[in-house]
CSV table of all heavy atoms in Angstrom, one decimal:
chain,number,residue,atom,x,y,z
A,1,ASP,N,0.8,-1.2,0.0
A,1,ASP,CA,0.0,0.0,0.0
A,1,ASP,C,0.9,1.3,0.0
A,1,ASP,O,1.2,1.8,1.1
A,1,ASP,CB,-0.9,0.0,1.2
A,1,ASP,CG,-2.0,1.1,1.1
A,1,ASP,OD1,-2.2,1.6,0.0
A,1,ASP,OD2,-2.7,1.3,2.2
A,2,GLY,N,1.2,1.7,-1.2
A,2,GLY,CA,2.0,3.0,-1.4
A,2,GLY,C,3.5,2.9,-1.1
A,2,GLY,O,4.2,3.9,-1.2
A,3,SER,N,4.0,1.8,-0.6
A,3,SER,CA,5.4,1.7,-0.2
A,3,SER,C,6.3,1.3,-1.4
A,3,SER,O,7.5,1.2,-1.1
A,3,SER,CB,5.6,0.9,1.0
A,3,SER,OG,5.2,-0.5,0.6
A,4,SER,N,5.8,1.0,-2.6
A,4,SER,CA,6.6,0.7,-3.7
A,4,SER,C,6.2,1.4,-5.0
A,4,SER,O,5.1,1.8,-5.2
A,4,SER,CB,6.4,-0.9,-4.0
A,4,SER,OG,6.8,-1.7,-2.9
A,5,ARG,N,7.3,1.7,-5.8
A,5,ARG,CA,7.0,2.4,-7.0
A,5,ARG,C,7.3,1.6,-8.2
A,5,ARG,O,8.2,0.9,-8.4
A,5,ARG,CB,8.0,3.6,-7.1
A,5,ARG,CG,8.0,4.4,-8.4
A,5,ARG,CD,8.9,5.6,-8.3
A,5,ARG,NE,10.2,5.3,-7.8
A,5,ARG,CZ,11.3,5.0,-8.5
A,5,ARG,NH1,11.2,4.9,-9.8
A,5,ARG,NH2,12.4,4.7,-8.0
A,6,ILE,N,6.3,1.5,-9.1
A,6,ILE,CA,6.3,0.7,-10.3
A,6,ILE,C,6.5,1.7,-11.5
A,6,ILE,O,5.8,2.7,-11.6
A,6,ILE,CB,5.0,-0.1,-10.5
A,6,ILE,CG1,4.8,-1.0,-9.3
A,6,ILE,CG2,5.0,-0.9,-11.8
A,6,ILE,CD1,3.5,-1.6,-9.1
A,7,SER,N,7.5,1.4,-12.4
A,7,SER,CA,7.8,2.2,-13.5
A,7,SER,C,8.2,1.3,-14.6
A,7,SER,O,8.4,0.1,-14.4
A,7,SER,CB,8.8,3.3,-13.2
A,7,SER,OG,10.0,2.7,-12.7
A,8,THR,N,8.4,1.9,-15.9
A,8,THR,CA,8.8,1.1,-17.0
A,8,THR,C,9.9,1.8,-17.7
A,8,THR,O,10.2,3.0,-17.6
A,8,THR,CB,7.6,0.8,-18.0
A,8,THR,OG1,7.3,2.1,-18.6
A,8,THR,CG2,6.4,0.3,-17.3
A,9,SER,N,10.5,1.1,-18.7
A,9,SER,CA,11.5,1.6,-19.6
A,9,SER,C,10.8,2.4,-20.8
A,9,SER,O,11.5,3.1,-21.6
A,9,SER,CB,12.4,0.5,-20.3
A,9,SER,OG,11.5,-0.4,-20.9
A,10,TRP,N,9.5,2.3,-20.9
A,10,TRP,CA,8.7,3.0,-21.9
A,10,TRP,C,8.7,4.5,-21.8
A,10,TRP,O,8.8,5.2,-22.8
A,10,TRP,CB,7.4,2.4,-22.0
A,10,TRP,CG,6.5,2.9,-23.1
A,10,TRP,CD1,5.4,3.7,-23.0
A,10,TRP,CD2,6.7,2.8,-24.5
A,10,TRP,NE1,4.9,4.0,-24.3
A,10,TRP,CE2,5.7,3.4,-25.2
A,10,TRP,CE3,7.7,2.1,-25.3
A,10,TRP,CZ2,5.7,3.4,-26.6
A,10,TRP,CZ3,7.6,2.1,-26.7
A,10,TRP,CH2,6.6,2.8,-27.3
A,11,ASN,N,8.4,4.9,-20.6
A,11,ASN,CA,8.4,6.4,-20.4
A,11,ASN,C,8.7,6.7,-18.9
A,11,ASN,O,9.0,5.8,-18.1
A,11,ASN,CB,7.0,7.0,-20.8
A,11,ASN,CG,5.8,6.4,-20.1
A,11,ASN,OD1,5.9,5.8,-19.1
A,11,ASN,ND2,4.7,6.4,-20.8
A,12,ASP,N,8.4,7.9,-18.4
A,12,ASP,CA,8.7,8.3,-17.0
A,12,ASP,C,7.5,8.2,-16.1
A,12,ASP,O,7.5,8.7,-14.9
A,12,ASP,CB,9.3,9.7,-17.0
A,12,ASP,CG,8.3,10.7,-17.5
A,12,ASP,OD1,7.3,10.4,-18.1
A,12,ASP,OD2,8.7,11.9,-17.4
A,13,LYS,N,6.4,7.5,-16.5
A,13,LYS,CA,5.2,7.5,-15.7
A,13,LYS,C,5.4,6.4,-14.5
A,13,LYS,O,6.1,5.5,-14.7
A,13,LYS,CB,4.0,7.1,-16.5
A,13,LYS,CG,3.6,8.2,-17.5
A,13,LYS,CD,2.3,8.0,-18.1
A,13,LYS,CE,2.0,9.1,-19.1
A,13,LYS,NZ,0.7,9.0,-19.7
A,14,GLU,N,4.7,6.6,-13.4
A,14,GLU,CA,4.9,5.8,-12.3
A,14,GLU,C,3.5,5.4,-11.6
A,14,GLU,O,2.6,6.1,-11.9
A,14,GLU,CB,5.7,6.5,-11.2
A,14,GLU,CG,7.1,6.9,-11.6
A,14,GLU,CD,7.8,7.7,-10.6
A,14,GLU,OE1,7.1,8.3,-9.7
A,14,GLU,OE2,9.1,7.7,-10.5
A,15,SER,N,3.6,4.3,-10.9
A,15,SER,CA,2.3,4.0,-10.1
A,15,SER,C,2.8,3.5,-8.8
A,15,SER,O,3.8,2.9,-8.6
A,15,SER,CB,1.6,2.9,-10.9
A,15,SER,OG,0.4,2.5,-10.2
A,16,TYR,N,2.0,3.8,-7.8
A,16,TYR,CA,2.2,3.4,-6.4
A,16,TYR,C,0.9,2.6,-6.0
A,16,TYR,O,-0.2,3.0,-6.0
A,16,TYR,CB,2.3,4.6,-5.5
A,16,TYR,CG,3.5,5.4,-5.7
A,16,TYR,CD1,3.6,6.4,-6.7
A,16,TYR,CD2,4.7,5.1,-5.1
A,16,TYR,CE1,4.8,7.1,-7.0
A,16,TYR,CE2,5.9,5.8,-5.3
A,16,TYR,CZ,5.9,6.7,-6.3
A,16,TYR,OH,7.0,7.5,-6.5
A,17,PRO,N,1.2,1.3,-5.7
A,17,PRO,CA,0.0,0.4,-5.4
A,17,PRO,C,-0.8,1.0,-4.2
A,17,PRO,O,-0.2,1.5,-3.2
A,17,PRO,CB,0.7,-0.9,-5.0
A,17,PRO,CG,2.0,-0.9,-5.7
A,17,PRO,CD,2.4,0.5,-5.7
A,18,LYS,N,-2.1,0.7,-4.3
A,18,LYS,CA,-3.0,1.2,-3.2
A,18,LYS,C,-3.8,-0.1,-2.8
A,18,LYS,O,-4.5,-0.7,-3.8
A,18,LYS,CB,-3.9,2.4,-3.6
A,18,LYS,CG,-3.1,3.6,-3.8
A,18,LYS,CD,-4.1,4.8,-4.0
A,18,LYS,CE,-3.5,6.1,-4.1
A,18,LYS,NZ,-2.3,6.4,-4.3
A,19,ASN,N,-3.9,-0.5,-1.6
A,19,ASN,CA,-4.6,-1.6,-1.1
A,19,ASN,C,-4.3,-2.9,-2.0
A,19,ASN,O,-5.2,-3.6,-2.3
A,19,ASN,CB,-6.1,-1.3,-1.2
A,19,ASN,CG,-6.8,-2.2,-0.3
A,19,ASN,OD1,-6.3,-2.8,0.7
A,19,ASN,ND2,-8.1,-2.5,-0.6
A,20,GLY,N,-3.1,-3.0,-2.4
A,20,GLY,CA,-2.7,-4.2,-3.1
A,20,GLY,C,-2.9,-4.3,-4.6
A,20,GLY,O,-2.7,-5.3,-5.2
A,21,ASN,N,-3.3,-3.2,-5.2
A,21,ASN,CA,-3.6,-3.1,-6.6
A,21,ASN,C,-3.0,-1.9,-7.2
A,21,ASN,O,-2.8,-0.8,-6.5
A,21,ASN,CB,-5.1,-3.0,-6.9
A,21,ASN,CG,-5.8,-4.3,-6.4
A,21,ASN,OD1,-5.6,-5.3,-7.0
A,21,ASN,ND2,-6.6,-4.2,-5.4
A,22,TYR,N,-2.6,-2.0,-8.5
A,22,TYR,CA,-2.0,-0.9,-9.2
A,22,TYR,C,-2.5,-0.8,-10.6
A,22,TYR,O,-3.0,-1.8,-11.2
A,22,TYR,CB,-0.5,-0.9,-9.2
A,22,TYR,CG,0.1,-1.9,-10.1
A,22,TYR,CD1,0.5,-1.5,-11.3
A,22,TYR,CD2,0.2,-3.3,-9.7
A,22,TYR,CE1,1.0,-2.5,-12.3
A,22,TYR,CE2,0.7,-4.2,-10.6
A,22,TYR,CZ,1.1,-3.8,-11.8
A,22,TYR,OH,1.6,-4.7,-12.7
A,23,ARG,N,-2.3,0.3,-11.3
A,23,ARG,CA,-2.7,0.4,-12.7
A,23,ARG,C,-1.7,1.6,-13.1
A,23,ARG,O,-1.6,2.7,-12.6
A,23,ARG,CB,-4.1,0.8,-12.9
A,23,ARG,CG,-4.5,0.9,-14.3
A,23,ARG,CD,-6.0,1.1,-14.5
A,23,ARG,NE,-6.5,1.0,-15.8
A,23,ARG,CZ,-6.6,-0.1,-16.5
A,23,ARG,NH1,-6.5,-1.3,-15.9
A,23,ARG,NH2,-7.0,-0.1,-17.8
A,24,LEU,N,-0.9,1.2,-14.2
A,24,LEU,CA,0.0,2.2,-14.8
A,24,LEU,C,-0.3,2.3,-16.3
A,24,LEU,O,0.1,1.4,-17.1
A,24,LEU,CB,1.4,1.7,-14.6
A,24,LEU,CG,2.5,2.5,-15.1
A,24,LEU,CD1,2.5,3.9,-14.7
A,24,LEU,CD2,3.9,1.8,-14.8
A,25,CYS,N,-0.9,3.4,-16.7
A,25,CYS,CA,-1.2,3.6,-18.1
A,25,CYS,C,0.0,4.3,-18.7
A,25,CYS,O,0.6,5.2,-18.2
A,25,CYS,CB,-2.5,4.5,-18.2
A,25,CYS,SG,-4.0,3.5,-17.7
A,26,LEU,N,0.4,3.7,-19.9
A,26,LEU,CA,1.6,4.2,-20.5
A,26,LEU,C,1.4,5.3,-21.5
A,26,LEU,O,2.5,5.9,-22.0
A,26,LEU,CB,2.2,3.0,-21.3
A,26,LEU,CG,2.5,1.7,-20.4
A,26,LEU,CD1,2.9,0.5,-21.2
A,26,LEU,CD2,3.4,2.0,-19.3
């Protein structure tokens, strides 16, 4: 819940999971 950052090599967008779920639109 918010303690990890998910990112990609595609661009600089990031997502932080909330309540065990995340969504990162590219």
Side-chain angles (χ1 to χ4, degrees):
D1 193 14
S3 62
S4 297
R5 178 176 43 95
I6 301 164
S7 58
T8 71
S9 60
W10 182 247
N11 58 25
D12 60 354
K13 295 186 177 189
E14 303 175 332
S15 178
Y16 294 85
K18 291 186 178 18
N19 198 28
N21 294 293
Y22 75 93
R23 184 169 188 84
L24 176 58
C25 291
L26 303 174

